[in-house]
């Protein structure tokens, strides 16, 4: 089955936003909105979003991928993932207006797009499900702990590291300075006093609160060779509320052990697309 790609323009406030619709040949009631993360536009790293959209449309789901305000071809001031709720709502409005018969949407996002989705999904009744890949929960101390725990452990188990060390091609002093700096950062985070009652919640807490309020199916996909994913898993593993949330029956978890943050190899991108399509057809 061949999908059909069409340009779509719509307004968010006073700005014009642009996206691409990938439409299946048959009418569908469920669509997928691909939310762009980081300083990217609607094609995604390694064209992942383009390829994913066409894969899902060939499988029978309408898909919209678009540029936030200030990114890609869209107008307006650039903003970060904590301030894109209006962009998401406008995109869903335009998506449902453009596809007759569409009744609900699934939000799909990688990195800080996953974080934006976690905070947004429960606020919009049209969102029926979410797919979150390598969610971003970055803090200086969290990344320091993830680097010490996962990166340095992997280096110590890598034969190439020991060969380099034995041949004198490794700067031991610089590496120790780096490790000590990371250790100090990690310890400072643990010693930080709790925020006062009047302080706004940090975005990882708002992500958790948002996902606790969301009742639809959730697909979580992690890259095994990604410190962003490891930082999220470490945070969730240390928090009973996150543990209960991720163990819930409506949450499905998948992991690609060798994959990097952006699924840079074709086999990894294809696996993500297959998991997404299978999950979409399962409910």
């Amino acid at each position: 089955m061949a999908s059909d790609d069409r340009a779509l323009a719509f307004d968010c406030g006073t700005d014009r936003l642009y996206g691409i619709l990938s439409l299946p040949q048959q009418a569908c009631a469920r669509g997928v909105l691909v939310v762009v993360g980081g300083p990217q536009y609607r094609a995604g790293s390694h064209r992942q979003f383009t390829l994913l959209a066409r894969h899902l449309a060939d499988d029978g789901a309408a898909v919209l991928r678009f540029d936030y305000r200030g990114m890609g071809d869209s107008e307006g001031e650039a903003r970060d993932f904590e301030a894109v709720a209006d962009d998401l709502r406008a995109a869903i409005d335009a998506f449902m207006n453009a596809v007759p018969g569409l009744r609900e949407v699934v939000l799909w996002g990688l990195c800080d797009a996953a974080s934006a989705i976690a905070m947004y999904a429960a606020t919009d009744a049209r969102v029926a499900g979410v797919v979150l890949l390598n969610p971003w929960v970055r803090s200086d101390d969290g990344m320091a702990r993830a680097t010490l725990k996962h990166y340095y452990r992997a280096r110590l188990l890598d034969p190439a590291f020991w060969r380099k060390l034995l041949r004198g091609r490794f700067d031991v002093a610089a590496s120790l300075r780096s490790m000590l700096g990371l250790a100090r950062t990690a310890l400072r985070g643990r010693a930080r006093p709790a925020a006062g009652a009047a302080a706004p919640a940090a975005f990882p807490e708002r992500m958790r609160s948002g996902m606790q309020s969301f009742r639809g199916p959730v697909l979580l996909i992690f890259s095994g060779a990604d410190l962003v994913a490891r930082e999220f898993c470490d945070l969730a593993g240390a928090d009973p509320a996150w543990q209960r949330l991720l163990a819930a029956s409506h949450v499905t978890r998948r992991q690609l052990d060798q994959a990097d943050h952006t699924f840079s190899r074709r086999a990894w991108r294809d696996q993500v697309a297959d998991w997404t399509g299978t999950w979409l057809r399962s409910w």
Side-chain angles (χ1 to χ4, degrees):
M1 186 182 296
S3 58
D4 179 21
D5 283 359
R6 301 178 187 176
L8 179 68
F10 55 96
D11 293 328
C12 180
T14 59
D15 297 314
R16 197 72 165 159
L17 275 58
Y18 296 92
I20 300 293
L21 277 170
S22 294
L23 299 172
Q25 289 191 339
Q26 305 296 325
C28 59
R30 178 179 297 162
V32 177
L33 180 69
V34 176
V35 180
V36 174
Q40 296 186 11
Y41 78 121
R42 59 187 180 270
S45 299
H46 328 291
R47 299 180 68 243
Q48 182 180 21
F49 303 160
T50 300
L51 299 172
L52 173 75
R54 292 171 181 169
H55 177 98
L56 297 178
D58 287 347
D59 211 24
V63 182
L64 173 64
R65 48 194 170 89
F66 76 104
D67 298 332
Y68 289 147
R69 282 175 288 178
M71 297 302 297
D73 294 317
S74 292
E75 300 175 350
E77 296 293 326
R79 60 209 65 221
D80 73 13
F81 68 96
E82 295 187 69
V84 296
D86 289 344
D87 302 63
L88 297 180
R89 195 172 301 280
I92 294 173
D93 290 344
F95 193 13
M96 302 196 80
N97 287 335
V99 183
L102 204 63
R103 294 290 177 265
E104 61 186 25
V105 297
V106 168
L107 302 183
W108 188 105
L110 166 68
C111 192
D112 62 25
S115 309
I117 289 169
M119 291 185 280
Y120 176 84
T123 70
D124 191 327
R126 299 169 297 180
V127 179
V130 299
V131 184
L132 310 178
L133 302 92
N134 301 331
W136 173 269
V137 290
R138 175 62 50 84
S139 65
D140 290 342
D141 50 299
M143 178 47 63
R145 286 193 295 273
T147 304
L148 289 169
K149 180 179 178 181
H150 302 287
Y151 173 76
Y152 281 101
R153 178 184 294 173
R155 288 296 305 274
L156 292 174
L157 296 175
D158 184 355
F161 163 76
W162 292 104
R163 286 195 295 272
K164 194 173 180 180
L165 181 65
L166 292 173
R167 291 170 183 166
R169 298 177 180 174
F170 184 78
D171 190 339
V172 177
S175 183
L176 286 174
R177 285 195 298 272
S178 175
M179 288 181 63
L180 288 173
L182 289 168
R184 283 193 292 269
T185 301
L187 290 173
R188 278 201 300 270
R190 287 182 170 171
R192 187 179 302 145
F203 78 87
E205 296 173 31
R206 286 183 278 128
M207 289 170 58
R208 184 188 61 202
S209 178
M211 293 311 299
Q212 287 172 323
S213 299
F214 183 68
R215 301 303 178 197
V218 177
L219 174 60
L220 279 164
I221 300 177
F222 298 110
S223 298
D226 174 32
L227 287 177
V228 172
R230 300 280 65 80
E231 185 177 3
F232 174 84
C233 291
D234 288 349
L235 179 146
D239 183 331
W242 267 116
Q243 292 176 30
R244 287 192 295 274
L245 177 60
L246 299 187
S249 59
H250 67 289
V251 177
T252 301
R253 296 180 63 160
R254 296 284 184 267
Q255 176 162 315
L256 273 168
D257 289 337
Q258 303 302 318
D260 55 25
H261 183 62
T262 58
F263 304 93
S264 60
R265 294 185 180 176
R266 178 176 179 176
W268 298 335
R269 294 192 295 276
D270 289 348
Q271 182 63 78
V272 167
D274 286 343
W275 278 339
T276 302
T278 300
W279 176 81
L280 282 172
R281 293 190 300 274
S282 70
W283 52 280

